Amino acid sequence: MSDLHWNDISPYAVPLGISALLGVLAWALFAWLAHRSRGKDYRRARITSMLSPPLALLLPLLFLRVGLDSTPLKDAQLALVKLSLYVGVVGCVTWLAVRVVNGIVASILREHPIEVADNLAARQIHTQTRVLGRVATGLVIVLGASMVLLQFDGVRQLGRTLLASAGILGLVAGIAAKPVFGNLIAGLQIALSQPIRIDDVVIVEGEWGRVEEITSAFVVVHIWDQRRMVVPLNWFIENPFQNWTRREADMLGTVFLWLDYRTPMAQVRAETERVCRSDPRWDGRVCIAQVTETSETAMQVRLLVSARNSGDAFDLRCVVRERVLDFLAREHPYALPRQRNELTREHTPPDTPQIVPSVHQTVSPSPEDGPPSVASPDLPAG
């Protein structure tokens, strides 16, 4: 085998080498400009750093594609090399488009933080941006893969064959892809109509939690005890659920107490207001005490308080319940529910020597339960 001479390889090496060098120089110029702007414009520096990795491959490939026309490659060899470069260019463009979409999503999320007290508008934007961004990323990848696959005759023929026999195969494929397309359509519906948003407080399947993540296929709900519930997207379209922060984040919290009829309601209202004013979780809107129900043995008192969000409302309810009960036990112990026994003596004829007393028992309900039924049979004398 004879050695290769420069005269043999120069027709290929010179144009391809110059093209590759020009591509590298173009990327180096871009990187230099990005480095210079890093300290002047933070946003411009972020954009250039996002575009730099794909361009490092894309620019040399584009210049190589131009330089191929100056080489003496034969038609079959030239077509193979051009196809390889085409696949590389499409891959780099797809990579670049995905990074652009992710960069736009990240920029929108940074400009609308949800770590604020009134984050309703920010949560709406986060939900729409995340869902639409994932859909756009998926479409870009599918489009790039399609452009590559259509360049191969075998794949095109396979596509024609599947299209020609789209009877049973199409039905099977449609049934198999139903969950995928169902979740895709559900994701678009959630992004547009927004029945749920990022950081919404929801009750799903009896579980209280916050919407932590919305993907293109499922929703992750962060349960209050650190568990994660993964729910398909179309479940939120087809099933009812509770959304506590659909319109606004502030909420009302309710505390029910069963108390004795002798309870001084004026003091209970004053103590409830004092507890609310001393707690930073109270938002200053609602703090009332009302008698909402009565039974044969006790009355139901509702303490209604307000807070900025559901988490504060839950904690404030617990504090109000504990301190009001402590106040009643300390200052007005007769106001707490208690058990009462009534001892009666049955009247018997004078000629009957046996006297049978009977005990009627009434039980006041507990603070959290409704009034129990009063039932106790007469007991014979021991």
Side-chain angles (χ1 to χ4, degrees):
M1 182 177 179
S2 59
D3 296 334
L4 293 177
H5 297 284
W6 172 251
N7 293 333
D8 297 329
I9 63 174
S10 60
Y12 305 96
V14 172
L16 295 180
I18 294 176
S19 300
L21 181 60
L22 291 176
V24 172
L25 290 177
W27 173 79
L29 177 62
F30 178 84
W32 177 72
L33 293 175
H35 181 74
R36 285 194 58 185
S37 63
R38 183 169 300 175
K40 299 178 181 179
D41 190 344
Y42 183 73
R43 180 174 297 180
R44 183 182 301 175
R46 188 184 296 273
I47 293 174
T48 52
S49 63
M50 176 186 62
L51 300 178
S52 182
L55 289 179
L57 293 177
L58 179 60
L59 292 177
L61 290 178
L62 291 176
F63 278 93
L64 284 175
R65 176 62 181 80
V66 175
L68 277 177
D69 296 331
S70 302
T71 61
L73 286 174
K74 297 179 181 180
D75 293 340
Q77 298 172 340
L78 185 61
L80 181 60
V81 177
K82 284 185 176 181
L83 180 59
S84 302
L85 292 178
Y86 175 82
V87 173
V89 169
V90 171
C92 291
V93 171
T94 303
W95 182 20
L96 179 63
V98 169
R99 288 181 67 90
V100 169
V101 171
N102 293 336
I104 294 175
V105 170
S107 177
I108 295 175
L109 297 183
R110 281 194 304 270
E111 293 178 358
H112 300 85
I114 60 176
E115 294 81 11
V116 294
D118 186 9
N119 60 359
L120 178 60
R123 289 189 288 112
Q124 292 176 346
I125 294 175
H126 271 241
T127 302
Q128 289 180 336
T129 303
R130 289 178 185 273
V131 174
L132 295 179
R134 288 189 175 94
V135 172
T137 300
L139 292 177
V140 168
I141 294 175
V142 170
L143 181 61
S146 301
M147 294 179 64
V148 171
L149 294 176
L150 288 177
Q151 300 301 315
F152 297 92
D153 294 335
V155 177
R156 285 203 303 267
Q157 184 62 34
L158 177 62
R160 295 192 189 99
T161 303
L162 292 177
L163 187 60
S165 59
I168 299 177
L169 291 179
L171 179 61
V172 173
I175 295 175
K178 182 180 177 181
V180 178
F181 290 108
N183 282 326
L184 179 61
I185 299 301
L188 293 176
Q189 287 180 298
I190 288 176
L192 297 177
S193 61
Q194 293 197 345
I196 56 173
R197 295 175 294 264
I198 297 296
D199 205 42
D200 264 348
V201 177
V202 295
I203 295 181
V204 178
E205 298 289 345
E207 298 284 358
W208 184 98
R210 292 182 179 272
V211 177
E212 183 178 57
E213 185 180 2
I214 300 178
T215 69
S216 58
F218 55 85
V219 176
V220 179
V221 180
H222 186 184
I223 309 301
W224 64 273
D225 57 0
Q226 304 302 316
R227 290 177 294 149
R228 264 67 173 181
M229 178 181 290
V230 180
V231 186
L233 276 176
N234 54 8
W235 188 93
F236 288 93
I237 303 299
E238 300 173 355
N239 298 278
F241 61 94
Q242 296 185 36
N243 189 337
W244 287 13
T245 53
R246 178 69 177 87
R247 295 294 182 186
E248 52 194 13
D250 51 353
M251 295 194 65
L252 296 178
T254 306
V255 177
F256 288 102
L257 301 176
W258 283 94
L259 302 176
D260 193 88
Y261 279 108
R262 296 176 295 171
T263 302
M265 288 302 301
Q267 284 84 343
V268 172
R269 291 190 182 93
E271 179 65 16
T272 303
E273 294 176 358
R274 187 192 67 80
V275 173
C276 289
R277 286 193 298 267
S278 64
D279 197 299
R281 287 164 290 203
W282 183 53
D283 62 0
R285 293 188 300 118
V286 179
C287 182
I288 58 176
Q290 299 171 317
V291 177
T292 56
E293 187 61 74
T294 58
S295 70
E296 296 85 352
T297 58
M299 62 181 181
Q300 184 187 68
V301 177
R302 183 183 71 178
L303 309 179
L304 195 62
V305 296
S306 61
R308 297 176 182 85
N309 53 64
S310 60
D312 288 349
F314 179 84
D315 294 336
L316 182 60
R317 286 172 55 205
C318 295
V319 171
V320 169
R321 182 185 295 110
E322 293 172 3
R323 295 187 181 178
V324 170
L325 288 176
D326 180 70
F327 165 76
L328 292 175
R330 186 178 64 254
E331 301 293 339
H332 307 281
Y334 56 87
L336 297 178
R338 62 186 61 198
Q339 178 177 320
R340 293 181 175 87
N341 294 326
E342 181 181 356
L343 181 64
T344 61
R345 183 182 298 273
E346 292 186 355
H347 296 283
T348 58
D351 56 348
T352 303
Q354 182 180 6
I355 299 178
V356 180
S358 62
V359 178
H360 300 281
Q361 185 181 44
T362 61
V363 181
S364 296
S366 63
E368 295 299 332
D369 301 329
S373 59
V374 179
S376 178
D378 293 341
L379 302 177

